[in-house]
Amino acid sequence: QVQLVESGGGVVQPGTSLTLSCATSGFTFSTYPMHWVRQAPGRGLECVAVISYDGSSKHYADSVRGRFTISRDNSNNTLYLQINSLRAEDTAVYYCARAQVDGYNQIDYWGQGTLVAVSS
Amino acid sequence: DVVMTQSPLFLPVTLGQPASISCRSSESLVHSDGNTYLNWFHQRPGQSPRRLIYKVSNRDSGVPDRFSGSGSGTDFTLKISRVEAEDIGVYYCMQGSHWPPTFGQGTKVEIQ
């Protein structure tokens, strides 16, 4: 079955950088667009980045553009999110999510999430 | 960004009774390809969201038929015909017709 397993979260200081990973299995990773979605404590859900199946197209939310970089390694079925210049407002659970082959923004499966806590 | 507004934000329900959640978008969700990319997700406490409904009214595999979605344009509804105990949690609508995809604030469903 489809599995998405995030890692790389933790407690980090403001201004530092972090890279999240999402290991996938159970589907042909190289044919699916992928998203990163975050959920701040007690708040709703926010899509922060999406990448096309082959990595040629990327889009970012205005709130993270210039600081976040989404990438993928189709040979290792892994999705990444590099976060630079971390801010307190970046504190959230970060989910890796798969989108449908025929729907760039049609998220269907989610990972269990990894918590990023930005604190001095 | 497209603003998604859900109501109510808190929904006390009785087991075996129907329940309904409304979702409105700040602009039409009809995509240029003719589809309407409105989805519903359910998030149980401590879990990641699970998609229930896609493109307004299509149930995902394994979703009980007591869940149904309807609507068009900017107004959408999720209905549960008979609430069961496992239906508690937070329900989110999400639009995928415009970048970035945006979610409603969530409707917390609890058994009263």
Side-chain angles (χ1 to χ4, degrees), chain A residues 35 37 39 43-50 59-62 65 95 100 102 105-108 110-112, chain B residues 1 37-39 41 43 47-51 54-55 60 92 94 96-105:
Chain A
H35 289 248
V37 182
Q39 186 170 33
R43 297 180 63 180
L45 296 155
E46 179 187 19
C47 286
V48 295
V50 62
H59 292 88
Y60 299 93
D62 289 344
R65 189 175 293 113
Y95 294 101
Q100 295 179 205
D102 60 347
N105 293 328
Q106 281 294 86
I107 290 172
D108 55 5
W110 302 63
Q112 87 289 348
Chain B
D1 296 358
Y37 295 106
L38 186 283
N39 310 294
F41 293 88
Q43 185 175 32
Q47 296 186 13
S48 55
R50 173 198 181 194
R51 195 175 71 176
Y54 63 96
K55 287 195 287 186
D60 273 281
Y92 295 95
M94 186 211 92
S97 295
H98 307 278
W99 177 259
T102 47
F103 294 84
Q105 319 96 301

